[in-house]
Amino acid sequence: MKELICIVCPKGCHLRVDEEKDYQVTGHSCPRGAEYGRQELLNPTRVLTSTVRVEGGLHARLPVKTDGVIPKEKMMEAVRLLDSVRVQAPVKTGQVILPDVLGTGVSFVATRGM
């Protein structure tokens, strides 16, 4: 039995996931919490936020995030990819900065114009 705190909403339900009973989830107050509990044990994923270097902009770094979720085990490798990325201003919010991160089909996009 694993215990988790749900992060789907601010309520923070205390979940219990029973791996021996087909990942049955208790302690949730909505269906999204039950799905989160199962997903977190079977295939944890996250949206990743970071920054990249920008040249010719107001600031030295540009905030970016993935436009979808990536497997949790690939997060550090994805962050390392950003170390070599340099973009040239101007950049628009939502502009793809690094497409198809690690073959996931998810891209890093700018979260600020510069």
Side-chain angles (χ1 to χ4, degrees), residues 14-87:
H14 290 261
L15 308 178
R16 294 179 65 135
V17 184
D18 192 341
E19 299 152 296
E20 294 177 7
K21 293 185 179 177
D22 196 30
Y23 296 92
Q24 181 181 4
V25 181
T26 58
H28 59 286
S29 60
C30 71
R32 293 180 353 178
E35 178 57 31
Y36 169 77
R38 275 190 291 283
Q39 182 73 21
E40 188 63 14
L41 292 186
L42 294 170
N43 182 27
T45 58
R46 298 288 187 274
V47 170
L48 181 57
T49 61
S50 189
T51 61
V52 295
R53 290 180 186 96
V54 63
E55 296 173 359
L58 180 62
H59 304 287
R61 308 286 296 179
L62 174 74
V64 296
K65 74 175 191 95
T66 55
D67 61 1
V69 295
I70 62 171
K72 191 174 177 181
E73 73 262 4
K74 291 189 175 193
M75 286 180 59
M76 292 308 294
E77 190 177 354
V79 170
R80 282 192 291 273
L81 283 176
L82 295 176
D83 286 340
S84 62
V85 174
R86 284 181 173 69
V87 296

